[in-house]
Amino acid sequence: MKILSMATQAQIFLMTVASGFIIGFVFDCLRVFRRTVKHPNFLTQIEDIVFWVAVSLFMFYVMLTENYGEIRFYAILGAAIGAVIYFETLSRLFLPVSVAIVNFIKKVLQVTFNILLAPFRFLVYLLSFPARFIGKTLEKAQNRTLVGLRRLKKYGRIKYRKVRKEFSVILKKT
């Protein structure tokens, strides 16, 4: 265990406060993503796991480089204070403004995408007329064919009955 001066301890404390502030900001970015991109709950749980693993690695790195790997109470307290300061100050402004900006950008991209697709939609619309005409013509031809086949079937039954009747008459005569 290395003995640290008060100035070094104060510097470490301020570094962990800044780390807590950064963690709060990253969490807000994750919250903006969640509010603007709809996704299932299991992905939210995976995001949480990834976030907390990343936060743990980040804090481990900060503790290792600034505090020689020693975990001290004031360092943990500094990270918590930094996060609380962020959430009580900037987060209240950052979150709604960021969500509004992202939603605005999404709408602009959607309108732009619709404008870019308009010529292709118009082309599909124009090509749908001949396709519908051909489809209706084929449907009419199919219906006529089915009607003709039904008539042939009916005519065939009538002929079959006549032939059977005549055949039975011939058999009776013999």
Side-chain angles (χ1 to χ4, degrees):
M1 178 177 229
K2 187 174 181 179
I3 299 175
L4 301 173
S5 69
M6 287 295 279
T8 306
Q9 290 180 17
Q11 183 181 8
I12 292 170
F13 179 75
L14 291 176
M15 181 65 72
T16 56
V17 169
S19 298
F21 202 83
I22 291 168
I23 290 168
F25 175 74
V26 171
F27 186 71
D28 260 0
C29 291
L30 182 62
R31 287 171 49 186
V32 168
F33 174 74
R34 287 180 182 170
R35 289 184 183 181
T36 56
V37 178
K38 301 296 179 204
H39 50 284
N41 285 339
F42 78 92
L43 284 180
T44 302
Q45 294 168 355
I46 292 171
E47 290 167 2
D48 284 340
I49 291 169
V50 170
F51 172 77
W52 285 111
V53 167
V55 164
S56 300
L57 291 174
F58 174 70
M59 285 307 295
F60 176 75
Y61 175 76
V62 169
M63 293 291 185
L64 188 63
T65 56
E66 299 299 323
N67 206 17
Y68 307 107
E70 295 178 6
I71 299 175
R72 298 180 187 223
F73 178 73
Y74 66 84
I76 296 171
L77 184 66
I81 289 173
V84 168
I85 289 172
Y86 174 77
F87 285 120
E88 291 299 321
T89 57
L90 289 180
S91 179
R92 295 176 187 220
L93 176 67
F94 175 77
L95 194 60
V97 169
S98 297
V99 169
I101 289 171
V102 170
N103 284 334
F104 177 74
I105 290 171
K106 278 174 53 177
K107 289 213 189 273
V108 167
L109 289 175
Q110 186 178 22
V111 168
T112 305
F113 190 68
N114 286 339
I115 289 171
L116 291 174
L117 284 181
F120 298 107
R121 287 186 182 140
F122 184 67
L123 184 64
V124 167
Y125 176 74
L126 287 179
L127 292 176
S128 69
F129 286 118
R132 275 190 260 152
F133 175 74
I134 291 170
K136 285 181 182 178
T137 305
L138 289 175
E139 187 178 346
K140 286 178 185 176
Q142 177 187 10
N143 288 339
R144 287 184 193 141
T145 304
L146 288 174
V147 167
L149 287 174
R150 283 188 199 118
R151 285 182 185 158
L152 280 174
K153 184 178 176 183
K154 186 177 179 182
Y155 180 72
R157 263 194 239 135
I158 293 171
K159 285 291 186 184
Y160 173 73
R161 286 182 192 146
K162 284 183 181 179
V163 169
R164 194 171 131 201
K165 193 180 208 183
E166 289 175 7
F167 191 67
S168 66
V169 170
I170 292 172
L171 285 177
K172 285 183 184 178
K173 287 184 181 181
T174 56

